[in-house]
Amino acid sequence: MVVLDAELPDGDLPGLIAELTRPPLGAAIVLLVEQLSSERAFEFLRLGARAVLERNDGSADLLRAIRMLAAGEAFLSPRVAGLLVDGLHRGGWQPRPRTTDDLDLLTARECEIFRLVAEGRTNRQIAGSLFISEATVKSHFNRIGKKLRIANRVQAVILAYELGLITGEEEPEPGSR
């Protein structure tokens, strides 16, 4: 895990994040930012950060982020999450030109796991619904990451959004119509 200041003097932040998140290191990045916009927060997540906080978010949020990343999850402070929601409501973040052809690289099981991860399911939930072990879910997700060039769950959600697999709108409950 690496706690990184986004305001590197004369630094190549995208290159540094790419280098740190790439195997064999595969570090989880906690990014601290001085001033943040929704566009900038989204770009940091797209680059591979697993947690984005503003410097003034406080030590409690930083500790919470570190614990969550250590558990394999991602973290956004409430303020950063609010910025991202506001950006989505304004119609920001148009999908990058990637196609569902990218998914042809995946097996049927990997596609299923990718979709469940993109929906926000935990490894435990996925394992329970597919009747497999959590270790198997992790193994599948590692292969998915290599095939789709994503480093973490946040990037999986972003890619699924970009490919139109998820919309950010809630699906109606079965039988609720």
Side-chain angles (χ1 to χ4, degrees):
M1 183 175 313
V2 176
V3 178
L4 187 61
D5 187 334
E7 315 304 327
L8 292 172
D10 300 325
D12 173 20
L13 186 62
L16 179 59
I17 291 174
E19 174 116 7
L20 292 171
T21 57
R22 188 176 21 246
L25 186 57
I29 304 293
V30 177
L31 203 54
L32 300 175
V33 184
E34 182 67 37
Q35 292 183 350
L36 195 59
S37 65
S38 58
E39 292 78 13
R40 199 165 178 221
F42 188 76
E43 189 57 31
F44 289 143
L45 294 173
R46 183 176 274 157
L47 289 171
R50 301 241 348 246
V52 179
L53 298 96
E54 287 190 316
R55 281 198 195 124
N56 60 0
D57 279 335
S59 59
D61 278 338
L62 178 59
L63 290 173
R64 192 173 305 117
I66 291 169
R67 285 187 193 106
M68 289 183 74
L69 267 64
E73 301 297 329
F75 178 84
L76 300 172
S77 71
R79 170 144 163 59
V80 172
L83 285 170
L84 291 171
V85 169
D86 291 345
L88 282 172
H89 287 171
R90 287 193 316 269
W93 315 316
Q94 297 305 313
R96 283 189 292 182
R98 288 186 74 170
T99 67
T100 53
D101 291 344
D102 293 339
L103 299 179
D104 291 342
L105 300 169
L106 305 180
T107 66
R109 179 63 86 168
E110 289 168 345
C111 280
E112 189 174 22
I113 290 173
F114 177 70
R115 182 184 52 78
L116 293 169
V117 166
E119 290 174 359
R121 307 273 178 90
T122 65
N123 287 344
R124 178 173 285 167
Q125 291 169 328
I126 294 169
S129 68
L130 299 180
F131 304 103
I132 58 178
S133 72
E134 286 184 61
T136 301
V137 173
K138 290 177 185 178
S139 177
H140 279 298
F141 188 73
N142 286 335
R143 283 193 299 280
I144 292 166
K146 288 177 183 157
K147 290 177 179 181
L148 298 180
R149 299 174 318 276
I150 56 175
N152 56 56
R153 289 174 166 286
V154 172
Q155 289 180 339
V157 171
I158 291 169
L159 178 59
Y161 172 76
E162 291 172 346
L163 294 175
L165 299 177
I166 58 173
T167 63
E169 298 174 7
E170 288 191 37
E171 298 289 323
E173 292 292 322
S176 66
R177 290 186 175 197

